[in-house]
Amino acid sequence: MADKKSKREAIIYSALKIFERDGFHKAKVEEIAKEANVGKGTIYEYFKSKKDLFCQMVKHMMDLYIDMIKEIVEENIDPITKLQHLLNLQLELAKKHGALGHMIQIETIKSGIGKDIKPYFLEFRKKTIGLIEKIIEEGIEKKLFKKIDTYVAALFFIGSSNQFAFEINFVRNCKDEYDHEGKLDVEEFMNAFLKGLIK
Amino acid sequence: MADKKSKREAIIYSALKIFERDGFHKAKVEEIAKEANVGKGTIYEYFKSKKDLFCQMVKHMMDLYIDMIKEIVEENIDPITKLQHLLNLQLELAKKHGALGHMIQIETIKSGIGKDIKPYFLEFRKKTIGLIEKIIEEGIEKKLFKKIDTYVAALFFIGSSNQFAFEINFVRNCKDEYDHEGKLDVEEFMNAFLKGLIK
Amino acid sequence: MADKKSKREAIIYSALKIFERDGFHKAKVEEIAKEANVGKGTIYEYFKSKKDLFCQMVKHMMDLYIDMIKEIVEENIDPITKLQHLLNLQLELAKKHGALGHMIQIETIKSGIGKDIKPYFLEFRKKTIGLIEKIIEEGIEKKLFKKIDTYVAALFFIGSSNQFAFEINFVRNCKDEYDHEGKLDVEEFMNAFLKGLIK
Amino acid sequence: MADKKSKREAIIYSALKIFERDGFHKAKVEEIAKEANVGKGTIYEYFKSKKDLFCQMVKHMMDLYIDMIKEIVEENIDPITKLQHLLNLQLELAKKHGALGHMIQIETIKSGIGKDIKPYFLEFRKKTIGLIEKIIEEGIEKKLFKKIDTYVAALFFIGSSNQFAFEINFVRNCKDEYDHEGKLDVEEFMNAFLKGLIK
DNA sequence: CATGAATGAGAATTCATTCAT
DNA sequence: AATGAATGAATTCTCATTCAT
């Protein structure tokens, strides 16, 4: 944590933790500083403002996420397994970072920081969708998938896997208050996604 | 706006508008009051606190939403058309109320108001999923759908239709910054949902 | 409570109760109204403002108090018994009205209502002291008391009997937290007052 | 005012001044801040709330007062002179701090902060009375005073000296409106206290 | 560079007072 | 005359940001 870069990162990860838990407005700069073991003033040496810190944190996480998807896309495995890996990644991240993704989406729409992260978010979304499309295109080329619109399919995958992750990581944690007891595992999900509803 | 009930409703709808745009924390009670054409103090005649107003608004919207889905479920049409109507409803609401649903989801998870709306949210989610499951069960009974886990299918529908609505209503509004030009219509979506990816 | 006068009085007595318990600033007009079984607006038919209500209430109580002392002064008994009756009155009122007297004294000094009740308070004080002086003068004339300065003696009586009343009515109610277990009765007090400390 | 401790004290003394003048409820935190030449927020760095500030101030003053009485009790002079010094102290403080003592008494009884300072007040009262009792016991031992109940005598001294101080410092300042022109000096008071009324 | 004490703009909330009914 | 819904001025408290050390 001695050199400049790692202190910046320490702050980013503390910010991640606090923003994740409290959302942008409820999060306190002082708590982020405490979490990072730095003084409150130090944060302002590395970031222009709370908003800037939030945006930098978001960018950082987006970049990491994109890298992780890229890795999967470039793996030497069949497209279906790639989608399965992607789903696993989603579940894992949701477990680690809660609804960070949703939060970013929301903050993008809301007034306030929206205008500052919108371009990054759109760029990120484009990249993510593009990478998923690649997997699907590969499946189409290999005659595994039908000639579906890859963009629609990608949206489909993102939306349903998010919902799936939310169900597993949040809703299922409120057992006392909730009670669906189905299997709800990855296989089940992939099956629905790949084969559709119709007989 | 003369009687007591409609003033309460006027405030709820102003709250909806402002919370939708700004989120819970950034929203100012004073602005909600102005929007409703009432004095700041009047809000506190009808609601205990800003948090209470938020929760009442959320409950109100959830009830309306549940009623709308119920209506669709009870329509005298085949299950596939029902799903299509549901998707249309989703798109319409997303257009009108932006990411309200997402916001509620987020606020439910985050510290702060979370504990106050969690029970309502879970109840709401249970009802919504239950209603969609009904449609799917009906499809299975009528031998239209395969014997899929109805819970998984419902989650699937919710997640992907949300994503679809988000794409259409938010992302496509940022044309300058974004540029996918596929069809992306309801038919395309239903097709993907019903038939799956695999050839 | 039908006629105008009794409604005014009902409000005064409700005000008394609430001001007594909460003091001027913490007392709420609405609560006084509720206590008096009248609407909030009705209070403003009878009193110009909260401050005015407070002052009228104070005046009312002062007048009653003066009447009660007068009655004692005019009783056909010896001066020492008169003083004893006065002390009993003090104890009784303290029991009924808590530290109302102290509160009026305080509010008289503090900024705010001070300037409005100061003249009444000073007038009241003058009368009270004057009446007590009368008793003492009577005692001096009847050769029961020494030729003490009646003004000083009156102050003495007021101060010490207040303290006595406070001890009995407030401090002794906090038994758990306090623990003097002396006799502390009226006789003891009168003895100290009349005979002094010195052997 | 450079070090932390003295800034806390500066705030305490500003609070003293404003609370003294306005009472707890009418006093504004902002004005206390201005008086102390600090920002409004600074007060909240040192005290949890307005109520906390009030209580800390009260405790501070009580401690100072107790120290001053202790000093008198330990002086190497006869008990009567000690009581005279105590009376002088009372007069001096009343001149400096108005009815602070009364105010504390009132706020202790009233709902609101009452429950927070009651224990301190009772402790303080116990100590004060205890110290005065010591002086009186000493007088009894030295055969100067008769075998009076020391507790009653102490209450007597406190009550009457308070009244005396109030008369001199407050009532006499309203000359235009008031007009008793007796001697009313310390000697007169001591005389009444020591020798009583009866011939 | 790093810090955290100091700041004050800004927000939620309260409540005396008004006024249409 | 009586009411209480509506109001907004006023107040406490929070917290992002600054800046002297």
Side-chain angles (χ1 to χ4, degrees), chain B residues 102-119:
Chain B
H102 282 231
M103 199 183 81
I104 293 172
Q105 208 166 313
I106 292 297
E107 297 294 354
T108 303
I109 295 174
K110 286 187 330 195
S111 70
I113 33 184
K115 62 184 186 333
D116 293 291
I117 43 170
K118 205 152 99 178

Side-chain angles (χ1 to χ4, degrees), chain D residues 7 39-40 42 46:
Chain D
K7 183 161 278 183
K40 204 185 346 162
T42 305
Y46 290 85

Side-chain angles (χ1 to χ4, degrees), chain C residues 156 159-161 163 188-190 192-194, chain D residues 151-161 189 193:
Chain C
F156 224 93
S160 46
S161 62
Q163 194 62 225
E188 191 79 20
F189 175 90
M190 289 304 296
F193 181 64
L194 294 170
Chain D
Y151 197 85
V152 168
L155 284 185
F156 224 90
F157 184 81
I158 291 172
S160 48
S161 64
F189 174 90
F193 181 64

Side-chain angles (χ1 to χ4, degrees), chain A residues 7 39-42 46:
Chain A
K7 186 167 275 186
K40 210 184 338 170
T42 308
Y46 291 85

Side-chain angles (χ1 to χ4, degrees), chain C residues 178-194:
Chain C
Y178 212 69
D179 53 11
H180 178 80
E181 297 297 344
K183 285 189 288 184
L184 208 63
D185 61 10
V186 173
E187 212 173 321
E188 191 79 20
F189 175 90
M190 289 304 296
N191 207 39
F193 181 64
L194 294 170

